[in-house]
Amino acid sequence: MLLCICSEGFRFEWHWGGDLMASRFSQSSVVVVSSQLDDCASSHDDGDLSSQRRESETASSSYGNATATTATSLAYLPQTTVLCELRHNAFEACVPTGPSEWRPKDRMKTGCVALVLCLNISVDPPDVIKISPCARMECWIDPFAMAPQKALETIGKTLSQQYERWQPRARYKVQLDPTVEEVKKLCNTCRKYAKSERVLFHYNGHGVPKPTANGEIWLFNKSYTQYIPLPISDLDSWLKTPSLYVFDCSAAGLIVNSFVELYDWGGSSSSGSARDCILLAACEAHETLPQSAEFPADVFTSCLTTPIKTALRWFCTRSLLHESLDYSLIDKIPGCQNDRKTLLGELNWIFTAVTDMVAWNVLPHDLFQRLFRQDLLVASLFRNFLLAERIMRSANCSPISHPQLPPTHQHHLWDAWDMAAEICLSQLPLLVEDPNAEFQPSPFFTEQLTAFEVWLDHGSENKKPPEQLPIVLQVLRSQCHRFRALVLLGRFLDMGPWAVDLGLSVGIFPYVLKLLQTTPELRQILVFIWTKILALDKSCQVDLVKDGGHTYFIRFLDSMEAYPEQRAMAAFVLAVIVDGHRRGQEACIEAGLIHVCLKHLQGSTLNDTQTEPLFLQWLCLCLGKLWENFTEAQIFGLQADAPAICAPLLSEPQPEVRASAVFALGTLLDVGSGSCRDGVGGEEEYDDDEKIRAEISIVRSLLSVASDGSPLVRAEVAVALGHFAFGHNRHLKSIAAAYWKPQSNSFPSLAHIKGNVVSSQIDPLLRGTNDNSLGRDGRVSTSSPLVSSGIMHGSPLSDDSSHHSDSGILNDGVSNGVVNHSTPKPLDNAMYSQCVLAMCTLAKDPSPCIASLGRRVLAIIGIEQVVAKPVKPTGNSVRPGESITATPTPSFGGLARSSSWLDMNGGHMPFRTPPVSPPRPNHVAGIRRVCSLDFRPHLMIPDSGLADPLLGFGGTSGTSERSFLPQSTIYNWSCGHFSKPLLIVADDSKEVLSRREEREKFALEHIAKCQHFSVSKLNNQIASWDTKFETGTKAILLKPFSSIVVAADENEQIRVWNYQEQEATLLNSFNNHDFPDKGISKLCLVNELDDSLLLAASSDGNIRIWKDYTLKGQQKLVTAFSSTQGHKPGVRSLNAVVDWQQQSGYLYASGELSPIMLWDLDKEQLINSIPSSSDCSISALSASQVHRGHFAAGFVDGSVRLYDVRTPEMLVCSTQPHTQKVERVVGIGFQPGLDPSKIVSASQAGDIQFLDIRNDRDAYLTIEAHRGSLTALAVHRHAPLIASGSAKQLMKVFSLEGEQLGTIRYYPYFMAQKIGPVSSLAFHPYEVLLAAGAADAFASIYADDNSQAR
C-alpha cells in the first residue's frame, strides 16, 4: 500500500514496508516554499528561455506589422516577477511565536498509597436497608464465602494488588476496620515516607454509616462497639498536600462538599493544600450506592482498579453476544494487560486510547494536562473514573470529582469502545478453547487513523481540533502502526504553530524523543517532526542534549542518502540545540559538528552543481550559533580554515545564503576579544598572528558585501562590524579621531591633495593609537583597497595588493613594551580605515533599519551622527564623496551643519589624538570620501576630558557594552520558515493566476489598439490638478490597470492620485526617506502585471521599492539599496540615472563618472559592472521592455550607445547623433515594436534624433522640436508616439514619421493660463494617455481627441 502526501511545495512518498522513497521540496531558486514564490522562480527561468526564443523569432519583424501573432504579442508580457518572497515582508519583524504551557508544570509521582477498609463483614450499618438479592462482591471476592476475618484480609490484599498494577513502585499500607488513632498513624507514616510526592488515601465505607452532614467519615472504636466520626479537617491535616482521596461509600458527595467548604473558609495553609488535592467520590450527597446484584458492591472501586473486567461484564449484558457468550469466560481472557499482541493487552490499549480521547476532547487543556499527564496513577484513575461515570449512571448514581469534570457518559466515542470490545469478545470462545488459535487484532486503530487522515484533508485552525490526536500518541507505541501515525502527525504539525502546540499539549514529546533511539527507516519523518517542534519551542534543546539526540541529527546531516532539503532541517534542529545553550555547544563540538558542516559547505563550493540554498543557509546558521560567544568553538573553526570555506558563499545568488554566511563569519570575529573574558585558555592553542590573519581575512570578506543589494545581508554586515568594533574599539577610535581631528584651518581642498603633498590633518589617519603600532619594519602596508574600485563593491576585492600577508600588514600590538592580551592586536590601519568608511556608509543606508544599525556601530567607536530631519531642504549640504571644494562650507566641512564643531564641544578636544608624523599619501581617496560625511564625534563630559563612559577609551566593560551591540536578525527570521506549512500549497495561487490572466488579456487587447493607433491630435486634457508640490513635479507615471497616477517632487515627496474625475483625488502621500540630501531621479513600476511595486530612484543612486503605496498610510518599504554609491571611492553620484527591465529582472544604474551597474533584483545582487568607456557621465538611460539585456545610454557629450549584456563585449555600437550643438542627452528610448536597434534620442539643445543604430550610424530622421531647453522626452511603449517637453512652457507630440500631432501651451480650464516649464512626461503603458508634470506644481493627463474629458 502506498501513501503519498503531495504538494507543489514538499513531497513525501512511502511504502508501508517503511522505506522512505522520496522527500523533496520543489526545486526552486528561492528558500521560501510557497506556490507564489515557486511561480516567481520558475517563471524567471522560463522567461530566460522563452524570451530568447521569441527574440530570435521576432527580431527581424519591423514595427507596425499588422499580422503579428499571439506568440509575438506575448513578447510584450514579461513573465518574470521579483521581490515577492518572504524576506520582503519586513524581515526584522519575523520572530517565531512561543508555545503555550504544554509541559506539565511539575512531573509528579504518587509515592505512597493508604488503603482504609471499613467493611465490618456480617454486620450491616444501621442506616442501610439491603434488598435481596443484593450486591455482595468486594474486589471480586464474595466476603460471605469464607470466615469474616479471612475475607477482610483477602479483600485488603487483593485491593492492594489491583492498585499495584497501576503504580508498582509506590509503597502500599492497608488498615482493615481501623480506629481513628490507627488512621492518624497511617496518614503520618505515609506523608513521612512520601515526602513531597503524592499520597493516595482510599476509603471503603461499606460497613459503616453514611458520612455526616458535616462530611465526617466513620471509623471504629477498639472493641467495635461504636462508630467514631473522623472530621475531614483532621484527615487533611495529617495527610497534607499533594494528596488524592478516593471515597467509596454512599452519600460520598457530603465528604466532597466538606472539603470544598474547608478550602474556601480555611486559612492560608489549607488553601495551599487545596491547590493540589484531588477527590474522587462514588456518588452525590443524596445518593446511595447501587445494590443490584448485576454490580459488585464496590462497583466504583472496581471501575477504578479493574476497568476492563468491569466494563466487559457490564457490556456483556447489553451486547448482542450476551446469549452466545458465557459470562464466566470474561475471567479467562487470555494474555497480559501490558502485552498489546494479546487479547487482554489489545482491549486495555483500546480502552486507554478511548478514555484519553474522551478526556482530551471534553476537558480544558490545562485541566487535561494536570489530571492526565502529570502523574501516572492519577491519569489511570481518571481514565477509569470516566468508565465509572458511564456504568454507575446507568444505575442512577453519579460519581463526582474535584476538580469537577464535564459529563462524559454519553460521549459518542464510547460507541467505538463498544464496537472494539464486541469484535474482541466474539473471538473469546475460540481463543479459550484453543490456546494455539491466532488472535486477530481489532481494526480500531487503523480506522481511527483513517478518521484522522480525513480530518487532515478538510480540517484547519478555525475548525474543531481532531479528536483522534491522542490516538496518534497511543499508536506511536506500536511498531505496526507507528510509521503511518508519524506521517499523519507530520502532516498535522505542518498546519502551523497552533497544531504543534496541540500536539505537545496532548503529550507527543516523550514519545518522539524516545523514537530517536529507533531504527533508521523513521529518520526522515522524525527529522521533519522535530523541525516543527523546535520551530515552536526552543526549550526542547535541553531534553535532546540530555538524551544524546544531537548525535542522531549530526549523523543524518552527514548522510548522503537524504535530500538536501531534509538535511537542511537537521541543520536547523542542530542550530536550535546550540542556540545559547553551552552544554549543547560542547556536546556538538565533541560529536564533530564543525567538521561535518564545513565539509558540506566546502563540497558545495567545489561542485559545479547548484546546492539547495536552504541547506547552505542552515549550515551557515548552525555554524554561527555554534561559534556564538564560545571561544573554544571559534578557535576550532579558525583552525579548520572556516573563513576561507565560508567566504565564497558571499557571492551566492540567494540573499538568505549570503546573509547567513555573513552571520557565521561575524561570530568568528569575537575571537580577538572574547577569549580572556570567557576564561578559556585558547591563547596557547591559537597564536595571535594566526588570529590577526584570520580577522583580516574575515573583515575583508565582510567589506566585500557591505554594499550588497539585500538589506538582509547588509544588516548582518552591520552586526558583524559592530562585534569587530567592540573588539578593536581603541584602534578604531583612534582612526576615527584622526579623520575628524579639529584644526584651526578647514579641511584641505582637493587642490592641496596632489602628488605626495598631504596636509597634516590627514596623516594621523595612517597611525594607530601610538607609534609602536606601526608595522614591524616601520611602514604601513600600501595595500589599501580604498584606492581600488572593488572595496564597497558587490563582488570580492579585485586588487592583488590587498592580499599581501607580509610584515606590513600584521602589527606587533606592543603597548609600552608590555604585551597586553586583554585587547586584540591592531590590524593594519588601512583595514581600520576601510571599516570606518563601511560603518559610515551603513549609517547612511537607504534602508532605515540598516541605517539605525550603522549608527549604533558608529556609536561604539565614538562617532555620533548629526543627520537629523532638515527643517527645510537645503541645497548646499555636503554629500559623501563630494570633493571638498565643490561646496563652500564653514571650517570642518561636514562635521556640523549649523555651528562650529569645536564650539559644540565647549572647546574640548573630543579625542586623544596620536602624535603627528611625516605625511603619507596612501589614503587620499578614502579621506576624500569620509571627511565630508555628516557625522561628529561622540560628545564628552565637558570638564573631565574623558569620553562618555559607555563609549569611552577606558577599559572595555564587557557586559554593559556587549548589551549595546546590534543584534543579528537572520537566525530568528530564518526560523520562521519552518513554522510555516511546508507540505501544502498556498490557497491564493488560483486567484493570483486568474488576475494575471485578466491583466494579460487586457494588455494584449490594448497593445493591438495602440499598434493600430490612427494619427490624430493628442491634446485633449482629461484631468488636471494641483499636486501641491513645492518644487514642482520631477517624476510621474501612470499605473496600467487602474486610473491611478503617481508623482514625486525634488524633495522626494511621493503622492498618489485617482484621476477618474477632472480634479484628481489624493489617495496617499509619503516621504521616500528622511535624509537631508534630496532629489528624485525616476519612478518605475516593478511587476506591473501582478501586484505592482513602486521603485523610487533618488538622484544619489539610492533605490527604494514600496508596496501598498496606493493605500493611505499603509505603504511598506520592500527593499532599499544604493545602486551606485560605494562602487567608486571618493565619488557619490548626484545625478544618477536608472531604468528597470521587467523581462530580465535587471536594474541598470549609473552615476557621474561611475560604470553602469547591472543589478539582478531577483538575487538582489550586483551581477556586472559595465565600463561606460567614456570620460563623461551618462545623462539618460533606457532599458528595452521587449528584449532582455538590451539598454541604451545617452551621455553628457551627446553620444549614444547601445548595449546587450548577454554578449561578451556588451557594447553593441556607439554613435554621436547630436552634432549641431553638443549638449547632454536629456531623454532616450527604444522605438515601439520588436526591432532592438531603433532608438529615439533627444538632447538639451532641442533636437530629437531617430536612429537605426545597427544599420546606420547617422540618424535617419531629425526633428528640431525645441530651440534649446528640451527637458523631457517620452516614447510610447507600443503606439507610434513620442512627446517632448520644454522649459519654455511647451509640450509637443510627434509620430514616428516626424509629423507633429499636437502642441500644448495652455491649461484649458484655467482661463488660458500657460502651462509651467515641463519637468516630466510619461505615457500609459497600454493606452494612448500622456501624463505631464510641470515646475509650477500642476500635473495633467492628455488623451486623443476621441476620448471624453473625465
Side-chain angles (χ1 to χ4, degrees):
M1 186 175 183
L2 179 72
L3 168 71
C4 290
I5 306 170
C6 297
S7 77
E8 289 176 25
F10 189 54
R11 184 171 73 250
F12 282 132
E13 292 177 8
W14 283 287
H15 281 289
W16 282 124
D19 298 330
L20 179 51
M21 299 300 292
S23 166
R24 294 291 280 165
F25 281 85
S26 60
Q27 294 296 321
S28 74
S29 62
V30 291
V31 175
V32 182
V33 181
S34 84
S35 62
Q36 187 178 348
L37 302 185
D38 285 345
D39 292 344
C40 292
S42 60
S43 64
H44 194 111
D45 298 337
D46 297 344
D48 280 340
L49 300 170
S50 60
S51 64
Q52 285 174 26
R53 187 171 64 247
R54 290 184 206 122
E55 282 162 22
S56 64
E57 290 168 1
T58 60
S60 60
S61 63
S62 61
Y63 176 76
N65 182 358
T67 59
T69 62
T70 305
T72 305
S73 299
L74 282 171
Y76 297 122
L77 303 177
Q79 302 301 305
T80 312
T81 48
V82 296
L83 304 176
C84 55
E85 294 164 34
L86 189 65
R87 65 177 179 273
H88 303 117
N89 238 345
F91 72 88
E92 67 275 6
C94 289
V95 178
T97 52
S100 63
E101 291 294 322
W102 63 268
R103 287 178 189 268
K105 287 187 175 57
D106 296 303
R107 276 300 225 201
M108 194 162 285
K109 196 171 76 176
T110 300
C112 203
V113 177
L115 304 174
V116 174
L117 277 73
C118 298
L119 292 178
N120 200 9
I121 296 170
S122 76
V123 180
D124 289 337
D127 61 347
V128 173
I129 300 168
K130 291 190 175 179
I131 62 169
S132 180
C134 180
R136 294 168 58 166
M137 307 285 266
E138 300 275 355
C139 292
W140 305 106
I141 293 167
D142 183 352
F144 299 101
M146 56 187 88
Q149 187 58 32
K150 187 180 179 187
L152 186 63
E153 289 169 3
T154 309
I155 290 166
K157 187 179 177 185
T158 305
L159 181 62
S160 178
Q161 289 168 347
Q162 286 176 184
Y163 265 113
E164 275 178 48
R165 194 189 96 49
W166 302 107
Q167 176 59 295
R169 293 181 184 170
R171 178 174 290 191
Y172 289 84
K173 293 189 174 295
V174 185
Q175 282 289 358
L176 306 173
D177 293 347
T179 62
V180 171
E181 280 304 311
E182 286 169 339
V183 169
K184 179 179 179 181
K185 185 181 176 186
L186 171 71
C187 291
N188 288 331
T189 306
C190 285
R191 173 49 61 200
K192 186 177 177 183
Y193 174 78
K195 296 177 181 161
S196 62
E197 292 177 346
R198 194 184 305 279
V199 174
L200 186 151
F201 180 88
H202 179 103
Y203 172 77
N204 179 325
H206 296 172
V208 292
K210 294 174 185 174
T212 66
N214 293 330
E216 297 157 312
I217 58 173
W218 297 98
L219 302 170
F220 301 97
N221 64 358
K222 285 188 179 176
S223 56
Y224 297 97
T225 57
Q226 283 181 305
Y227 299 112
I228 308 294
L230 170 62
I232 286 304
S233 54
D234 289 357
L235 182 62
D236 183 56
S237 68
W238 302 333
L239 215 53
K240 300 189 175 67
T241 184
S243 54
L244 166 62
Y245 295 90
V246 177
F247 296 107
D248 188 353
C249 59
S250 293
L254 291 168
I255 308 171
V256 175
N257 295 343
S258 182
F259 264 101
V260 171
E261 287 177 16
L262 175 71
Y263 296 146
D264 285 349
W265 299 337
S268 59
S269 61
S270 296
S271 62
S273 70
R275 275 197 298 275
D276 207 354
C277 173
I278 297 170
L279 310 172
L280 296 174
C283 58
E284 291 192 3
H286 61 278
E287 292 175 344
T288 307
L289 292 178
Q291 293 190 14
S292 166
E294 176 192 354
F295 302 105
D298 65 344
V299 60
F300 185 62
T301 299
S302 297
C303 287
L304 294 182
T305 57
T306 56
I308 303 300
K309 185 173 182 176
T310 311
L312 291 178
R313 278 175 168 262
W314 178 79
F315 174 68
C316 258
T317 59
R318 289 160 177 77
S319 164
L320 295 173
L321 300 172
H322 73 276
E323 292 176 0
S324 60
L325 192 67
D326 182 0
Y327 208 61
S328 63
L329 285 180
I330 290 173
D331 294 332
K332 299 176 185 173
I333 294 176
C336 169
Q337 287 204 336
N338 296 326
D339 183 359
R340 290 188 293 273
K341 293 177 180 175
T342 62
L343 179 57
L344 186 59
E346 170 113 338
L347 281 166
N348 184 59
W349 187 25
I350 294 171
F351 176 80
T352 304
V354 168
T355 47
D356 226 26
M357 275 203 294
V358 171
W360 163 255
N361 285 290
V362 169
L363 267 59
H365 282 188
D366 55 344
L367 190 59
F368 177 81
Q369 286 287 333
R370 181 183 166 201
L371 300 182
F372 286 81
R373 292 295 180 263
Q374 200 174 21
D375 181 325
L376 283 173
L377 182 58
V378 172
S380 300
L381 290 179
F382 266 93
R383 272 195 286 268
N384 302 343
F385 176 80
L386 300 182
L387 173 72
E389 191 198 8
R390 186 186 191 208
I391 290 177
M392 294 179 73
R393 273 189 184 255
S394 71
N396 299 316
C397 193
S398 305
I400 55 176
S401 67
H402 186 86
Q404 193 172 351
L405 304 187
T408 59
H409 60 290
Q410 291 181 322
H411 199 282
H412 68 92
L413 283 168
W414 284 116
D415 296 336
W417 158 251
D418 291 345
M419 184 177 174
E422 202 158 57
I423 290 171
C424 290
L425 286 174
S426 65
Q427 301 181 57
L428 187 56
L430 177 65
L431 291 171
V432 172
E433 189 181 318
D434 178 10
N436 298 320
E438 193 176 336
F439 159 65
Q440 294 299 318
S442 162
F444 173 80
F445 289 104
T446 307
E447 288 164 358
Q448 292 298 321
L449 286 178
T450 302
F452 184 40
E453 193 169 356
V454 170
W455 187 95
L456 289 175
D457 291 336
H458 304 285
S460 70
E461 183 177 5
N462 304 319
K463 295 186 179 175
K464 190 184 169 197
E467 57 186 27
Q468 296 81 16
L469 203 52
I471 286 282
V472 179
L473 196 71
Q474 291 295 326
V475 296
L476 288 179
R477 300 158 67 182
S478 156
Q479 208 160 351
C480 60
H481 297 293
R482 184 179 294 156
F483 188 72
R484 184 184 180 202
L486 283 172
V487 172
L488 296 176
L489 179 62
R491 277 183 63 189
F492 177 67
L493 300 182
D494 189 57
M495 295 178 88
W498 63 271
V500 182
D501 203 19
L502 273 180
L504 291 171
S505 301
V506 85
I508 63 167
F509 184 76
Y511 292 89
V512 291
L513 185 63
K514 199 170 181 184
L515 284 175
L516 292 178
Q517 294 145 22
T518 59
T519 47
E521 69 266 13
L522 299 175
R523 286 195 314 168
Q524 286 148 321
I525 184 61
L526 274 176
V527 168
F528 182 79
I529 287 170
W530 273 103
T531 299
K532 287 293 174 182
I533 292 173
L534 289 173
L536 181 79
D537 191 354
K538 168 188 165 184
S539 69
C540 303
Q541 60 184 184
V542 179
D543 308 79
L544 277 170
V545 174
K546 204 158 120 188
D547 278 36
H550 60 286
T551 56
Y552 183 91
F553 295 100
I554 292 174
R555 282 198 304 273
F556 187 85
L557 182 68
D558 200 24
S559 68
M560 298 307 290
E561 310 93 63
Y563 289 107
E565 303 88 346
Q566 296 169 324
R567 288 156 69 203
M569 292 179 190
F572 162 74
V573 170
L574 290 162
V576 177
I577 286 173
V578 298
D579 179 20
H581 183 213
R582 182 50 55 90
R583 182 69 201 97
Q585 288 173 312
E586 290 166 351
C588 287
I589 282 180
E590 286 166 23
L593 179 57
I594 292 180
H595 168 72
V596 171
C597 289
L598 289 175
K599 178 177 79 176
H600 292 295
L601 282 178
Q602 201 166 19
S604 76
T605 52
L606 295 176
N607 298 339
D608 292 335
T609 53
Q610 170 69 39
T611 306
E612 172 61 38
L614 193 68
F615 184 42
L616 295 179
Q617 179 185 348
W618 277 102
L619 285 173
C620 290
L621 290 172
C622 182
L623 283 171
K625 282 292 170 185
L626 191 54
W627 293 329
E628 196 172 48
N629 304 325
F630 189 23
T631 307
E632 190 183 336
Q634 292 161 357
I635 288 170
F636 278 134
L638 292 176
Q639 287 171 338
D641 204 19
I645 293 170
C646 292
L649 298 170
L650 299 177
S651 55
E652 281 289 312
Q654 293 79 20
E656 293 88 348
V657 177
R658 301 199 297 275
S660 304
V662 171
F663 169 70
L665 289 168
T667 54
L668 286 175
L669 281 177
D670 278 346
V671 169
S673 52
S675 52
C676 292
R677 277 200 299 273
D678 289 348
V680 179
E683 297 292 336
E684 295 77 22
E685 301 170 45
Y686 200 70
D687 70 46
D688 279 353
D689 283 355
E690 288 178 36
K691 272 185 194 171
I692 290 172
R693 273 196 290 275
E695 287 205 311
I696 288 177
S697 162
I698 292 168
V699 171
R700 183 172 287 131
S701 297
L702 293 177
L703 292 177
S704 74
V705 285
S707 284
D708 191 274
S710 171
L712 206 61
V713 179
R714 298 197 305 279
E716 295 308 311
V717 173
V719 171
L721 287 177
H723 283 263
F724 179 71
F726 179 74
H728 293 256
N729 204 332
R730 187 170 303 179
H731 311 299
L732 282 164
K733 277 185 174 178
S734 69
I735 291 289
Y739 275 124
W740 287 285
K741 181 179 176 184
Q743 297 284 337
S744 56
N745 301 319
S746 64
F747 278 108
S749 70
L750 284 180
H752 299 135
I753 308 178
K754 287 191 177 167
N756 291 328
V757 183
V758 181
S759 85
S760 62
Q761 286 100 323
I762 295 159
D763 66 78
L765 165 67
L766 310 178
R767 293 189 303 283
T769 49
N770 52 53
D771 288 336
N772 289 332
S773 67
L774 289 172
R776 293 192 177 108
D777 56 358
R779 67 182 177 86
V780 174
S781 166
T782 57
S783 62
S784 170
L786 274 181
V787 185
S788 82
S789 62
I791 175 58
M792 300 296 288
H793 198 279
S795 57
L797 293 169
S798 53
D799 57 316
D800 298 330
S801 60
S802 64
H803 297 286
H804 294 329
S805 58
D806 63 3
S807 58
I809 287 184
L810 305 176
N811 299 321
D812 278 337
V814 177
S815 174
N816 300 326
V818 179
V819 176
N820 180 6
H821 280 303
S822 65
T823 57
K825 292 185 179 182
L827 312 182
D828 68 320
N829 290 285
M831 189 61 77
Y832 287 132
S833 305
Q834 296 164 45
C835 288
V836 172
L837 182 60
M839 291 169 189
C840 293
T841 306
L842 287 166
K844 302 200 84 175
D845 195 274
S847 168
C849 166
I850 315 301
S852 166
L853 289 171
R855 287 193 293 272
R856 287 179 67 181
V857 174
L858 280 179
I860 293 169
I861 61 167
I863 302 172
E864 189 179 316
Q865 196 175 23
V866 189
V867 177
K869 285 189 184 181
V871 181
K872 215 170 186 182
T874 54
N876 63 348
S877 55
V878 179
R879 300 165 188 256
E882 249 181 89
S883 57
I884 305 302
T885 52
T887 309
T889 55
S891 63
F892 319 119
L895 293 172
R897 191 171 294 288
S898 55
S899 60
S900 162
W901 176 76
L902 199 58
D903 292 340
M904 287 171 68
N905 288 280
H908 290 289
M909 296 277 285
F911 284 100
R912 302 171 186 171
T913 50
V916 176
S917 71
R920 295 182 179 83
N922 299 15
H923 302 284
V924 174
I927 295 159
R928 220 183 273 148
R929 171 102 173 269
V930 177
C931 65
S932 62
L933 285 176
D934 296 324
F935 298 106
R936 62 182 171 84
H938 197 74
L939 293 177
M940 295 197 318
I941 301 160
D943 297 319
S944 66
L946 296 171
D948 175 51
L950 178 66
L951 305 168
F953 271 110
T956 54
S957 61
T959 53
S960 65
E961 265 194 63
R962 266 189 178 272
S963 64
F964 184 74
L965 290 176
Q967 298 302 309
S968 168
T969 54
I970 182 66
Y971 172 77
N972 276 345
W973 177 81
S974 300
C975 288
H977 167 70
F978 291 111
S979 302
K980 294 179 172 52
L982 302 174
L983 303 175
I984 54 177
V985 185
D987 294 335
D988 59 350
S989 53
K990 286 182 183 172
E991 188 186 322
V992 170
L993 285 172
S994 65
R995 188 177 58 214
R996 168 87 186 201
E997 283 172 14
E998 277 175 34
R999 291 184 170 182
E1000 286 187 352
K1001 185 180 174 186
F1002 173 91
L1004 288 173
E1005 285 173 4
H1006 284 76
I1007 287 170
K1009 287 180 186 174
C1010 286
Q1011 289 174 339
H1012 302 102
F1013 175 71
S1014 56
V1015 174
S1016 66
K1017 301 289 184 188
L1018 190 75
N1019 52 12
N1020 178 14
Q1021 181 177 296
I1022 61 167
S1024 182
W1025 68 97
D1026 184 355
T1027 62
K1028 306 280 195 300
F1029 285 143
E1030 290 177 20
T1031 55
T1033 307
K1034 188 71 171 39
I1036 194 164
L1037 67 79
L1038 293 163
K1039 280 197 74 179
F1041 304 108
S1042 54
S1043 302
I1044 287 176
V1045 60
V1046 186
D1049 69 353
E1050 191 61 38
N1051 290 329
E1052 303 200 50
Q1053 178 86 5
I1054 297 173
R1055 289 192 174 137
V1056 184
W1057 297 268
N1058 186 326
Y1059 60 85
Q1060 196 75 39
E1061 304 298 328
Q1062 171 64 32
E1063 184 65 34
T1065 312
L1066 184 67
L1067 300 178
N1068 194 17
S1069 175
F1070 59 96
N1071 282 314
N1072 194 29
H1073 63 82
D1074 294 328
F1075 285 111
D1077 299 320
K1078 301 284 189 179
I1080 199 83
S1081 169
K1082 182 149 188 170
L1083 295 175
C1084 301
L1085 283 182
V1086 177
N1087 305 340
E1088 69 177 31
L1089 288 167
D1090 299 277
D1091 286 332
S1092 63
L1093 307 171
L1094 179 67
L1095 185 152
S1098 303
S1099 50
D1100 59 4
N1102 283 339
I1103 305 293
R1104 293 174 179 85
I1105 298 178
W1106 300 89
K1107 73 173 184 178
D1108 300 334
Y1109 55 91
T1110 59
L1111 306 175
K1112 189 171 181 61
Q1114 292 183 42
Q1115 67 281 350
K1116 295 185 190 71
L1117 191 63
V1118 173
T1119 188
F1121 63 98
S1122 170
S1123 63
T1124 56
Q1125 187 182 340
H1127 305 288
K1128 189 147 188 172
V1131 176
R1132 182 177 185 229
S1133 176
L1134 298 179
N1135 294 300
V1137 288
V1138 301
D1139 203 11
W1140 160 246
Q1141 189 175 59
Q1142 187 76 44
Q1143 284 279 14
S1144 58
Y1146 292 161
L1147 180 86
Y1148 305 96
S1150 181
E1152 291 175 352
L1153 302 177
S1154 90
I1156 301 163
M1157 302 295 176
L1158 174 56
W1159 294 88
D1160 185 325
L1161 284 201
D1162 189 44
K1163 300 173 182 175
E1164 295 184 64
Q1165 193 174 32
L1166 183 74
I1167 55 170
N1168 219 325
S1169 175
I1170 306 163
S1172 58
S1173 60
S1174 172
D1175 294 333
C1176 59
S1177 59
I1178 294 177
S1179 55
L1181 195 63
S1182 176
S1184 168
Q1185 295 306 320
V1186 179
H1187 299 288
R1188 59 191 298 119
H1190 286 225
F1191 71 95
F1195 290 79
V1196 173
D1197 64 359
S1199 61
V1200 172
R1201 293 188 175 87
L1202 178 66
Y1203 297 88
D1204 183 350
V1205 298
R1206 298 168 304 174
T1207 61
E1209 61 281 355
M1210 300 212 195
L1211 179 64
V1212 176
C1213 49
S1214 173
T1215 185
Q1216 188 98 18
H1218 303 284
T1219 50
Q1220 293 93 335
K1221 190 176 178 186
V1222 176
E1223 288 203 34
R1224 64 192 294 132
V1225 174
V1226 172
I1228 194 166
F1230 285 84
Q1231 291 185 26
L1234 296 169
D1235 192 333
S1237 61
K1238 288 194 171 179
I1239 289 170
V1240 180
S1241 171
S1243 81
Q1244 196 170 335
D1247 61 316
I1248 302 176
Q1249 305 288 345
F1250 291 74
L1251 307 166
D1252 189 347
I1253 205 161
R1254 283 183 175 170
N1255 302 329
D1256 190 0
R1257 298 284 163 154
D1258 299 324
Y1260 65 83
L1261 175 64
T1262 300
I1263 302 173
E1264 293 295 339
H1266 306 275
R1267 293 180 183 172
S1269 69
L1270 188 144
T1271 54
L1273 175 76
V1275 182
H1276 199 289
R1277 206 186 286 180
H1278 304 293
L1281 292 172
I1282 64 165
S1284 63
S1286 165
K1288 295 177 179 174
Q1289 299 172 285
L1290 182 68
M1291 276 186 285
K1292 291 184 180 179
V1293 181
F1294 300 94
S1295 72
L1296 291 186
E1297 286 74 38
E1299 180 188 348
Q1300 188 167 323
L1301 302 181
T1303 303
I1304 301 165
R1305 298 175 187 271
Y1306 301 99
Y1307 296 119
Y1309 300 105
F1310 294 98
M1311 297 176 66
Q1313 178 187 339
K1314 287 195 76 169
I1315 65 172
V1318 179
S1319 52
S1320 56
L1321 291 171
F1323 279 109
H1324 188 285
Y1326 307 116
E1327 295 184 52
V1328 181
L1329 292 176
L1330 174 66
D1336 64 359
F1338 273 94
S1340 307
I1341 297 174
Y1342 300 91
D1344 62 358
D1345 289 337
N1346 301 324
S1347 299
Q1348 296 294 316
R1350 298 181 182 176

